[in-house]
Amino acid sequence: MAKTTISLIKADIGSFPGHSRTHPLILEKAARMLKEQEGKLLIDSFVTHCGDDLELIMTHTRGEDDPEIHALSWKVFTECAKVAKEMKLYGAGQDILSDAFSGNVKGMGPGVAEMEFEERGSDPVLLFMADKTEPGAWNFYLYKIFADPFNTAGLVIDPQMHDGFIFEVHDVIEKRKIEFRTPEESYSLLAYIGAPSRYVIKYVKRKDGIIAASTSTQRLSLIAGKYVGKDDPVMIVRGQSGLPAVGEIIDPFSIPIIVAGWMRGSHHGPFMPVGLPDANCTRFDGPPRVICLGFQVCNGKLIGPADMFDDPAYDRVRARCNELADILRAHGPFEPHRLSLSEMEYTTLPAVEKTLKGRWVPIKE
Ligand code: F6R
Ligand code: MG
Ligand code: MG
């Protein structure tokens, strides 16, 4: 049987009010356009949103980076941007950074996570979609899921996982990549991925080559050369039968960690796991949030979704995130709520500094 590919491609093409949520008409338009391709380019599709990001979930047999699949996503985003412009939605067309499509949406604004695999007897897949944060936000969770035996019992007691995993890490500034093998190189891996604004885990594979996780690593400001919001990443994780169990994959989201993004892409804030009805950014344009849809993949068909964080088991982390939000918000314009100066280079702050440049005079000692 042909291998199955899951393509999860997203873009912010406009929202309401402000940067908070995608409009129902946009979701409907995107869903219709993908449905038309089922039985043609696509096997199956599902459309949703996290905050102001339109998320296209597509299955097919064409592999990663397929020009036709990327062209289809591009067409959906540009057509939906037209609808957004007609309604004067906020930031209409925001993530469409170029008019000239050249076969791949990477580098043109949208975020892309894709995974091609041979379907096993039964294949559970979890799709994570975030708003108001950056791709490196997944680093912490991927480490916990695939390298921390205090999170993933299978690393200790499942012989198929006992040898560990391989992490492919991208340096998004220098545009280079490296692989680390765990558990033997965990400390070297952590030396890099602990700096998530620069080092981002792109893929995780089991040591026998089975693909387990794939993320989006696009950083818009680095592509556009100016501030264009944060990059609101997506991630695909496969589970069970020699890979971490579904419950091991979502358990680390019960820890309230702090990520970069939030208001104006310029603040640290708690990363809140929410169900689909709460996938709308509100307080201070946030807080940063993440949804998780679970599917069984059956000959390319998506059986589901299950709304994984729509569960009282995640109430406590949400309450703790709200506590953290209060503490960080109380800092107002001060660090560490505001990002460090090196990260603020990619925001609108340098434009303010430029207007004050001439006012500075040297200190004579
Ligand atoms: C964050 C985000 C928003 C905007 C903010 C200001 O990624 O998109 O927090 O940065 O609403 O938007 P403008 O400058 O368009 O008024
Ligand atoms: Mg927006
Ligand atoms: Mg967004």
Side-chain angles (χ1 to χ4, degrees):
M1 219 202 107
K3 286 183 179 175
T4 300
T5 309
I6 301 181
S7 297
L8 171 49
I9 305 188
K10 48 91 22 186
D12 175 355
I13 50 85
S15 50
F16 88 103
H19 289 281
S20 63
R21 66 185 75 186
T22 307
H23 195 277
L25 286 177
I26 301 272
L27 294 170
E28 194 187 315
K29 168 110 194 149
R32 275 181 202 279
M33 287 182 75
L34 294 189
K35 277 276 168 274
E36 270 170 28
Q37 286 298 325
E38 288 180 13
K40 297 178 196 161
L41 269 182
L42 303 178
I43 301 174
D44 207 352
S45 65
F46 189 82
V47 170
T48 188
H49 77 107
C50 184
D52 57 11
D53 291 282
L54 173 60
E55 317 275 356
L56 311 182
I57 301 167
M58 297 165 283
T59 57
H60 53 95
T61 53
R62 308 177 66 91
E64 291 187 34
D65 290 320
D66 180 73
E68 305 254 14
I69 298 293
H70 281 239
L72 171 63
S73 325
W74 190 251
K75 196 160 169 230
V76 173
F77 293 139
T78 47
E79 292 290 311
C80 287
K82 277 187 206 155
V83 179
K85 280 177 188 156
E86 279 163 23
M87 288 188 280
K88 285 178 74 177
L89 293 190
Y90 203 71
Q94 176 183 294
D95 285 359
I96 294 172
L97 298 183
S98 161
D99 293 330
F101 178 71
S102 59
N104 196 305
V105 295
K106 284 183 189 159
M108 305 198 61
V112 183
E114 298 187 289
M115 182 189 277
E116 184 184 32
F117 56 89
E118 207 163 306
E119 282 187 26
R120 300 169 294 170
S122 180
D123 233 303
V125 171
L126 298 177
L127 304 182
F128 294 88
M129 294 153 261
D131 192 27
K132 305 294 184 271
T133 188
E134 60 185 14
W138 305 130
N139 286 2
F140 173 88
Y141 301 102
L142 286 169
Y143 183 86
K144 297 286 286 183
I145 297 165
F146 293 103
D148 181 2
F150 282 77
N151 179 79
T152 299
L155 292 168
V156 180
I157 61 182
D158 181 343
Q160 285 181 279
M161 249 193 280
H162 197 77
D163 281 348
F165 288 86
I166 300 169
F167 289 72
E168 180 178 312
V169 176
H170 288 198
D171 174 348
V172 294
I173 306 279
E174 291 275 322
K175 302 234 179 307
R176 49 184 190 154
K177 60 182 181 179
I178 186 169
E179 281 188 351
F180 292 106
R181 298 167 72 85
T182 58
E184 62 273 31
E185 295 184 307
S186 329
Y187 300 161
S188 304
L189 171 67
L190 287 168
Y192 291 97
I193 63 167
S197 61
R198 174 160 180 179
Y199 299 102
V200 181
I201 299 167
K202 177 70 186 167
Y203 294 111
V204 183
K205 289 178 286 188
R206 208 165 63 184
K207 286 209 177 121
D208 61 4
I210 290 259
I211 183 78
S214 171
T215 73
S216 63
T217 49
Q218 285 71 29
R219 285 209 58 183
L220 287 180
S221 52
L222 303 179
I223 296 166
K226 61 175 172 42
Y227 175 67
V228 275
K230 278 286 178 210
D231 312 291
D232 308 337
V234 290
M235 166 166 86
I236 307 172
V237 184
R238 257 171 116 197
Q240 304 290 154
S241 305
L243 292 173
V246 165
E248 289 168 334
I249 296 167
I250 59 174
D251 194 49
F253 289 86
S254 62
I255 306 165
I257 68 157
I258 290 170
V259 295
W262 207 351
M263 175 59 76
R264 298 176 187 277
S266 308
H267 294 82
H268 286 116
F271 198 33
M272 188 185 273
V274 294
L276 249 54
D278 296 317
N280 303 304
C281 288
T282 54
R283 184 180 182 190
F284 203 51
D285 282 2
R289 52 192 78 198
V290 52
I291 56 170
C292 174
L293 294 186
F295 295 94
Q296 286 290 143
V297 184
C298 173
N299 305 322
K301 282 271 172 206
L302 292 164
I303 312 297
D307 185 358
M308 302 304 287
F309 295 140
D310 178 18
D311 188 300
Y314 287 86
D315 282 351
R316 183 128 64 191
V317 63
R318 288 190 275 265
R320 294 175 80 192
C321 284
N322 279 326
E323 280 292 337
L324 282 169
D326 286 342
I327 295 165
L328 284 163
R329 284 297 302 123
H331 288 68
F334 284 81
E335 297 178 9
H337 184 26
R338 201 176 77 178
L339 302 187
S340 68
L341 278 182
S342 63
E343 271 296 288
M344 292 300 287
E345 270 177 43
Y346 302 105
T347 70
T348 47
L349 182 67
V352 173
E353 286 171 325
K354 215 166 147 191
T355 65
L356 298 168
K357 207 171 162 222
R359 302 255 308 270
W360 286 87
V361 292
I363 301 172
K364 293 193 182 72
E365 303 262 352

